[in-house]
């Protein structure tokens, strides 16, 4: 039976401004903490695969193994399949799945990976228990999530302060936890994982091109994505307030001394043998 805590709405949706960010992600810039543990023969489950760029990278790194990418949103999987096909990968497949109730037998995968997933689910501890269940003894559960309250930027911007406050309110109203990065180790321990290595890493945007890209996708996302709809329909912001936040993003993006840092928490957990 599904309880309210086990369900959550994906705050961002899959608007083009969201996929602009998702398709930029690679195993190198988003899963570096895991890569040293990979072996060519491994069987990997990539949860919340989205458009499949990280999934495809993982498949290329385990040429004698297999990778299964899963996502709760069926529509995005066609793009993931196209990503893998364009790279000529034959050891990867994709399916719809719910991380709270994975449709795989116990002890199936050598690695179960989730990037930017647990911040959006209703019960991250249950999700981690499911991830542990389908991991083989001696295998790895690898999770990375951003932490919105720890994001920081320069120069100071009242409009970006408003953005951060608004985003955290909308995400929590949708059943998620936007400050997930700092909680990953705690969630893992509550899920019964005992061999847990916690780390952190960042994305930083400072060059003119990086600022234009990062500010532009958030300016557009604030006005046109599912996040924008949920902000207004949930009574968290008016359209005028969203326009002001969008304008603040564009203003920050043209500052020559602009700098933005996204902190991520990471956990690499070894399942007991």
């Amino acid at each position: 039976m599904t309880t309210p805590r086990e369900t959550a709405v994906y705050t961002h949706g899959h608007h083009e401004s969201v996929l602009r960010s998702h398709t930029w992600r690679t195993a190198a810039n988003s899963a570096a903490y895991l890569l040293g543990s990979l072996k060519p023969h491994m069987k990997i489950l990539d949860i919340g695969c989205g458009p499949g760029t990280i999934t495809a990278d993982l498949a290329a790194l385990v040429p004698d193994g297999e990778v299964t990418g899963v996502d709760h949103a069926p529509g995005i999987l066609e793009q993931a399949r196209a990503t893998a096909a364009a790279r000529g990968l034959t050891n990867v497949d994709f399916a719809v799945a719910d991380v709270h109730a994975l449709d795989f037998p116990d002890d199936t995968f050598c690695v179960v990976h989730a990037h930017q997933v647990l911040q959006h689910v209703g019960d991250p501890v249950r999700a981690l228990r499911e991830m542990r269940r389908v991991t083989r003894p001696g295998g790895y559960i690898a999770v990375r999530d951003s932490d919105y309250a720890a994001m920081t930027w320069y120069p100071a911007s009242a409009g970006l302060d408003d953005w951060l406050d608004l985003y955290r309110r909308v995400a929590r109203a949708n059943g998620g936890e936007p400050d997930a990065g700092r909680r990953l180790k705690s969630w893992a321990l509550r899920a019964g994982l005992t061999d847990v290595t916690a780390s952190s890493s960042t994305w930083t945007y400072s060059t003119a091109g990086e600022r234009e890209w990062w500010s532009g996708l958030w300016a557009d996302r604030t006005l046109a994505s599912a996040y924008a709809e949920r902000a207004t329909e949930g009574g968290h912001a008016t359209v005028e307030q969203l326009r002001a936040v969008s304008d603040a993003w564009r203003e920050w993006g043209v500052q020559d001394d602009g700098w933005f840092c996204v902190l991520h928490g990471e956990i690499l957990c070894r399942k007991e043998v």
Side-chain angles (χ1 to χ4, degrees):
M1 180 180 295
T2 300
T3 67
R5 277 297 298 164
E6 292 161 10
T7 58
V9 175
Y10 180 49
T11 296
H12 299 286
H14 291 100
H15 184 264
E16 182 277 330
S17 60
V18 178
L19 295 180
R20 214 180 303 166
S21 171
H22 289 186
T23 55
W24 167 83
R25 298 172 184 175
T26 66
N29 68 29
S30 300
Y33 71 104
L34 166 64
L35 302 188
S37 301
L38 298 183
K39 306 297 181 187
H41 68 278
M42 283 181 159
K43 186 173 183 178
I44 299 175
L45 177 64
D46 186 25
I47 295 172
C49 65
T53 51
I54 297 176
T55 321
D57 281 353
L58 294 174
L61 291 167
V62 292
D64 303 322
E66 302 173 12
V67 178
T68 298
V70 297
D71 203 282
H72 198 255
I76 197 61
L77 294 180
E78 284 308 308
Q79 185 168 342
R81 292 185 180 99
T83 299
R87 294 180 56 174
L89 297 165
T90 58
N91 63 332
V92 58
D93 64 337
F94 297 94
V96 176
D98 177 1
V99 69
H100 294 115
L102 295 168
D103 190 22
F104 300 101
D106 294 359
D107 307 336
T108 298
F109 298 97
C110 305
V111 176
V112 177
H113 169 261
H115 183 264
Q116 309 284 35
V117 172
L118 294 191
Q119 64 182 281
H120 298 296
V121 306
D123 192 339
V125 174
R126 177 175 172 177
L128 281 162
R129 288 190 185 118
E130 271 294 274
M131 294 170 71
R132 175 181 176 273
R133 180 184 66 77
V134 301
T135 301
R136 294 174 181 172
Y140 296 95
I141 299 96
V143 178
R144 184 175 190 254
D145 265 278
S146 55
D147 193 299
Y148 276 78
M151 293 185 188
T152 189
W153 57 84
Y154 187 87
S157 166
L160 292 191
D161 290 341
D162 291 342
W163 159 76
L164 182 57
D165 173 70
L166 173 63
Y167 179 82
R168 293 171 77 217
R169 285 189 284 114
V170 172
R172 289 195 170 118
N174 287 339
E177 175 45 72
D179 305 342
R182 69 189 64 190
R183 291 171 164 82
L184 294 182
K185 181 180 179 182
S186 173
W187 288 341
L189 295 175
R190 287 167 56 194
L193 292 158
T194 55
D195 185 350
V196 181
T197 299
S199 58
S200 62
S201 60
T202 62
W203 292 334
T204 303
Y205 307 105
S206 181
T207 68
E210 290 166 347
R211 294 193 316 270
E212 179 182 12
W213 179 78
W214 185 243
S215 65
L217 68 86
W218 269 109
D220 293 343
R221 191 181 303 190
T222 299
L223 293 179
S225 68
Y227 158 65
E229 295 174 6
R230 286 158 187 153
T232 54
E233 292 173 3
H236 304 289
T238 64
V239 172
E240 291 73 21
Q241 288 170 325
L242 291 181
R243 288 198 187 101
V245 168
S246 178
D247 289 345
W249 270 111
R250 296 199 184 278
E251 290 165 8
W252 172 84
V254 298
Q255 302 302 313
D256 289 340
D257 58 352
W259 178 91
F260 198 105
C261 184
V262 179
L263 177 71
H264 297 83
E266 303 158 344
I267 51 170
L268 186 62
C269 312
R270 193 83 181 264
K271 183 174 177 178
E272 66 277 8
V273 178

